[in-house]
Amino acid sequence: YGMTEIGPGTHVPVHEILKRTGAGTCGVESPYRRVMVADENGKPVKTGELGEVCVKGAGILHGYYKNDAANAESFRNGWFRTGDQGRFDSEGYLYIVGRFKDMVRRSGENIACREVEWVIRSIPEIEDVAIVPVPDSYRGEEAKAYIQLMPGATPEEMPPERIIAHCAKQLAPFKVPRYYEYR
């Protein structure tokens, strides 16, 4: 896992590659890097909890050239804020689950669009899906799913109730989209 701003943030050690292949991890801290998953106040979250991936260490970006606003937004207490949402497992391996800009904020809970899209896309009759936030006067935002069915499939064969049931088996209840539109 890396970015132009930080270079290599994490890596999978050579002796772990076979064991970790396909696990979805980005690895452990790379040499000369410290990686933290932080809450909205910049404090580390507990193992397994979601937060923003932050990185510090020798050789990372010191700041954006003549862009004080970007620097103020991107750095907190010496940590570079990646904008990625992630979690650590009990062995110190990092997992990226989404981007904070690709989130739905529903009743104070963050929903990673990418995670919900992955679950819906696993339905064989669905070719593609996009999850977007839509305004909601009670919850702030709700998740809306734009569904593209496979050629020959129809909304009658794949109604929202079937998608909802599939999602309910694999996602926390608050992550299941409330609105659906076929495209």
Side-chain angles (χ1 to χ4, degrees):
Y1 167 77
M3 302 172 68
T4 301
E5 292 89 345
I6 66 167
T10 64
H11 72 286
V12 176
V14 172
H15 65 279
E16 290 284 324
I17 288 176
L18 291 177
K19 178 181 175 184
R20 304 291 173 172
T21 297
T25 183
C26 297
V28 294
E29 291 178 341
S30 289
Y32 307 103
R33 296 292 179 270
R34 291 189 49 216
V35 180
M36 166 179 68
V37 177
D39 65 17
E40 59 274 355
N41 299 313
K43 303 290 184 211
V45 299
K46 294 178 183 170
T47 299
E49 290 184 2
L50 297 177
E52 183 174 16
V53 178
C54 300
V55 181
K56 70 173 10 179
I60 73 165
L61 172 82
H62 291 285
Y64 294 103
Y65 183 68
K66 294 186 180 181
N67 194 340
D68 293 338
N71 291 329
E73 186 177 317
S74 299
F75 290 90
R76 181 175 25 210
N77 299 325
W79 290 90
F80 178 77
R81 302 174 64 191
T82 66
D84 290 326
Q85 184 184 40
R87 66 175 175 81
F88 278 114
D89 69 13
S90 61
E91 296 179 86
Y93 281 80
L94 178 68
Y95 294 78
I96 304 295
V97 299
R99 296 266 313 145
F100 278 100
K101 292 181 181 174
D102 296 330
M103 297 293 239
V104 176
R105 183 94 168 138
R106 181 181 190 261
S107 296
E109 296 279 0
N110 287 320
I111 302 169
C113 295
R114 185 170 134 189
E115 176 187 14
V116 179
E117 290 165 352
W118 183 84
V119 168
I120 294 175
R121 209 173 278 120
S122 71
I123 300 171
E125 295 86 352
I126 293 179
E127 183 169 355
D128 207 1
V129 61
I131 301 297
V132 299
V134 294
D136 183 85
S137 60
Y138 183 70
R139 291 182 176 85
E141 291 180 341
E142 277 287 357
K144 181 174 183 177
Y146 286 93
I147 306 292
Q148 180 182 6
L149 297 173
M150 288 291 203
T154 67
E156 293 75 31
E157 297 168 340
M158 180 51 61
E161 294 80 13
R162 194 163 157 216
I163 300 169
I164 291 167
H166 178 80
C167 289
K169 291 177 187 173
Q170 299 185 49
L171 297 169
F174 73 90
K175 294 181 179 182
V176 177
R178 182 166 179 189
Y179 301 106
Y180 297 82
E181 185 172 324
Y182 294 87
R183 292 294 181 122

